[in-house]
Amino acid sequence: MRQTIRNARYNAGGSVDVEFLWQGRWVWFTADPNDEAVTTAELLLELQRRQTVEGLEIAAYEPPDPTPEEALDAERAAMSCSRFQAKVVLEEAGLLASAEAAVQTLSSRQRMAWTDQDRFTRMSPTIIEVADILDLSPTQVDDLFRQAATIAV
């Protein structure tokens, strides 16, 4: 039997992306159960029939690899360190006194966050503002958080 459907794979929206042979060429098509077009309905029925009768496997959805920017954003969102780790890293970098002085220029709420928080997160507004006052680049702040994570508490 000649193959007319190949590379069936669920996509992020739950529909099925599939290649099918149309007029002698392989074309991609998204079979969406909410699409009322006859072609879509026929293709979905054919996919279901092939799954049942021929054991056609529809591959699970695999999200694409994140871009470098997306990976960095995710890493930054997950970065955190304890107060102790932050103070050690800032002291070792020669920045602790400057950071403490910078905090004194912040709002009352931000000063409380700096002095009362048990953990600091990379993307907190207070950390971002202190870094800005200290003229630290985002990469430098990332590196400080990475270093902090290596310090045993």
Side-chain angles (χ1 to χ4, degrees):
M1 176 180 192
R2 185 172 173 200
Q3 182 182 13
T4 57
I5 296 175
R6 67 182 185 190
N7 297 321
R9 176 176 307 278
Y10 287 102
N11 61 35
S15 302
V16 179
D17 292 329
V18 63
E19 280 185 290
F20 71 98
L21 193 59
W22 183 70
Q23 295 183 353
R25 296 182 338 183
W26 288 102
V27 295
W28 278 102
F29 186 82
T30 298
D32 184 340
N34 297 318
D35 186 350
E36 295 179 12
V38 174
T39 305
T40 301
E42 289 174 352
L43 185 57
L44 284 170
L45 287 172
E46 178 65 10
L47 286 170
Q48 290 171 346
R49 184 191 71 73
R50 294 227 180 149
Q51 276 184 297
T52 304
V53 175
E54 300 173 16
L56 173 73
E57 290 189 31
I58 300 177
Y61 172 69
E62 294 180 24
D65 291 335
T67 65
E69 294 81 17
E70 291 169 334
L72 182 58
D73 288 346
E75 180 188 15
R76 284 179 173 159
M79 286 179 169
S80 71
C81 67
S82 70
R83 168 180 305 294
F84 171 75
Q85 291 169 314
K87 289 180 105 175
V88 168
V89 166
L90 289 169
E91 179 66 30
E92 289 176 353
L95 295 169
L96 183 58
S98 298
E100 296 287 350
V103 168
Q104 296 311 309
T105 68
L106 303 178
S107 70
S108 174
R109 179 179 285 191
Q110 288 174 306
R111 286 193 308 274
M112 285 189 285
W114 183 267
T115 57
D116 296 338
Q117 286 285 82
D118 293 331
R119 296 197 67 76
F120 295 115
T121 58
R122 166 66 180 86
M123 297 308 294
S124 78
T126 302
I127 295 297
I128 292 170
E129 192 160 344
V130 169
D132 188 48
I133 292 168
L134 297 177
D135 201 29
L136 297 174
S137 71
T139 301
Q140 289 172 306
V141 178
D142 295 341
D143 290 341
L144 289 170
F145 269 86
R146 289 181 188 115
Q147 289 172 323
T150 67
I151 297 171
V153 179

